[in-house]
Amino acid sequence: MIWLLSEGVTITTTTKNIWQNSLRKKITNMRVADYSLKDDIGHLTDETIYKKVREKMRNCSVTVVLVGSRTGHRKWIDWEIWASLRSYTHPYDPLKSFKPNGLLAIYLPTDSHSVPNRLTDNIKSGYALSMKWENLERDFESKVNYAYWNRTNVTRKIDNSRERMEEDYWDLFGFRI
């Protein structure tokens, strides 16, 4: 099962759905599901948000991040990547335990890309994989399988050391606002 994160090109659900639908049309031999949170959860506590995200991710094994022009500026994208990279061992019920997800970045065919810092850290460490949208049909299945393999065999390469983003931001002439 794959956890699909919003591309961050715009805030609208319509744009997100266009990329997801296009991905589903190109990839017919694997199930691609969107388990991202649909409602505004900004009013909840950080711990409650984390629990909701992890609960949705429990049945997923690979997180796919669609990287567009605003992806790296989005607080919730960072939080979902952060949650994807965590494991949990339940003290009494092993069925409630889970491994970290594999991580795959897909660079959308946009003019620019804003890659989340946490994602960049894990691409550099060798844990996360990346690919171009143009190569979906050729490479997607092998990249997902490799990301799945990484979640079991190279968790030592996970870099989840950054603090979680506290808010969305914009870059204006190289300044963060």
Side-chain angles (χ1 to χ4, degrees), residues 56-73:
K56 287 244 183 191
M57 286 184 180
R58 185 180 304 275
N59 295 325
C60 300
S61 53
V62 175
T63 300
V64 175
V65 184
L66 301 177
V67 180
S69 60
R70 297 275 309 135
T71 311
H73 301 84

Side-chain angles (χ1 to χ4, degrees), residues 138-173:
R138 182 188 74 200
D139 296 341
F140 185 74
E141 186 174 359
S142 65
K143 294 282 187 173
V144 167
N145 287 333
Y146 193 26
Y148 180 83
W149 184 86
N150 280 356
R151 77 186 288 248
T152 302
N153 297 292
V154 292
T155 55
R156 69 187 178 283
K157 292 184 177 184
I158 291 174
D159 183 352
N160 210 14
S161 59
R162 289 181 184 269
E163 293 292 320
R164 288 176 286 175
M165 284 177 61
E166 294 184 21
E167 60 189 13
D168 291 350
Y169 68 90
W170 291 86
D171 278 334
L172 182 64
F173 304 115

